[in-house]
Amino acid sequence: SAVISQKPSRDICQRGTSLTIQCQVDSQVTMMFWYRQQPGQSLTLIATANQGSEATYESGFVIDKFPISRPNLTFSTLTVSNMSPEDSSIYLCSVGRRARDTQYFGPGTRLTVL
Amino acid sequence: QQPVQSPQAVILREGEDAVINCSSSKALYSVHWYRQKHGEAPVFLMILLKGGEQKGHEKISASFNEKKQQSSLYLTASQLSYSGTYFCGTEIPDKLIFGTGTRLQVFP
């Protein structure tokens, strides 16, 4: 199994600002994923972050709004840019060797935008 | 594209059984099941692969019908700790798409 930490655990931000969320894993992993979970809803995949290449974004998510970095096999960041109240959500990272293997989730970052 | 789960919610007494279904409109390579308690991260329960291989929790069983693109999770002799929201995750190449979720509450 993998142990994953996220920072910050929660934040309250003003409209128009940006927030960078960090995801740290205790071992090297091939695939890292970023999800958004709105209150009472399912998990929606934002993007897949692979080391050494650009992130692959899902429909409805764009790099200008959610830039992602993956500088090495244990770390990734997700930035939520030019925030609006609609971005209020929980953001989770997960890791796995492959998509079909067990994915382990970080504790999440609870974001509130005023 | 998002898998549909049924029922949306289940209320049980301790010791009762439940079945949660997951149905996809796309061909599946594998199906994953996770449980999420309020305010916590999802926790892995089981993976079902094409061809019948399963990996996961000893006390939980599941089925995977590749032709019908469906999976079912069987919870027997439920315990209070089973309460939470259950999500199926269907694999399409290189990613998981999570289902709509089923909220399960177990009461004494």
Side-chain angles (χ1 to χ4, degrees):
Chain A
S1 65
V3 177
I4 305 162
S5 60
Q6 284 186 235
K7 292 181 180 179
S9 59
R10 60 177 62 225
D11 207 342
I12 301 173
C13 301
Q14 295 297 319
R15 179 195 298 261
T17 61
S18 298
L19 177 72
T20 295
I21 301 168
Q22 298 178 6
C23 179
Q24 178 76 54
V25 190
D26 67 341
S27 57
Q28 294 185 340
V29 292
T30 307
M31 306 189 78
M32 296 182 80
F33 305 90
W34 286 98
Y35 291 87
R36 181 174 72 184
Q37 187 174 31
Q38 295 178 314
Q41 302 297 312
S42 182
L43 296 93
T44 301
L45 182 63
I46 297 172
T48 302
N50 296 319
Q51 193 260 342
S53 63
E54 286 193 7
T56 303
Y57 289 85
E58 296 301 305
S59 175
F61 297 95
V62 295
I63 188 171
D64 290 345
K65 175 67 176 176
F66 296 100
I68 287 172
S69 76
R70 179 85 196 271
N72 57 53
L73 293 174
T74 62
F75 187 78
S76 177
T77 66
L78 169 75
T79 299
V80 186
S81 303
N82 189 23
M83 289 184 286
S84 67
E86 292 70 36
D87 294 319
S88 297
S89 192
I90 298 172
Y91 292 85
L92 301 110
C93 67
S94 73
V95 303
R97 288 186 305 164
R98 299 175 299 173
R100 64 176 40 198
D101 290 327
T102 303
Q103 285 194 30
Y104 299 96
F105 284 84
T109 295
R110 183 180 295 271
L111 171 62
T112 302
V113 184
L114 302 178
Chain B
Q1 181 168 340
Q2 181 180 32
V4 177
Q5 292 181 228
S6 63
Q8 290 184 325
V10 185
I11 298 175
L12 298 174
R13 293 285 184 188
E14 267 188 299
E16 293 181 338
D17 303 338
V19 179
I20 300 173
N21 302 301
C22 173
S23 181
S24 173
S25 60
K26 291 186 173 287
L28 303 177
Y29 293 83
S30 66
V31 178
H32 302 217
W33 285 95
Y34 288 80
R35 177 172 60 217
Q36 184 178 33
K37 293 184 179 288
H38 183 70
E40 299 180 7
V43 173
F44 166 76
L45 295 176
M46 176 165 287
I47 293 176
L48 301 102
L49 304 174
K50 289 180 73 171
E53 183 180 357
Q54 296 187 5
K55 305 175 186 179
H57 204 292
E58 291 180 358
K59 295 185 178 180
I60 292 176
S61 62
S63 64
F64 179 19
N65 188 321
E66 300 168 29
K67 289 186 179 179
K68 292 186 177 180
Q69 297 163 188
Q70 295 175 344
S71 177
S72 294
L73 185 71
Y74 305 97
L75 302 171
T76 58
S78 59
Q79 305 171 16
L80 295 176
S81 61
Y82 286 11
S83 294
T85 302
Y86 289 76
F87 293 102
C88 65
T90 55
E91 181 200 353
I92 57 179
D94 297 327
K95 60 189 176 186
L96 285 184
I97 304 299
F98 283 90
T100 49
T102 296
R103 186 175 179 181
L104 179 75
Q105 291 179 281
V106 181
F107 290 96

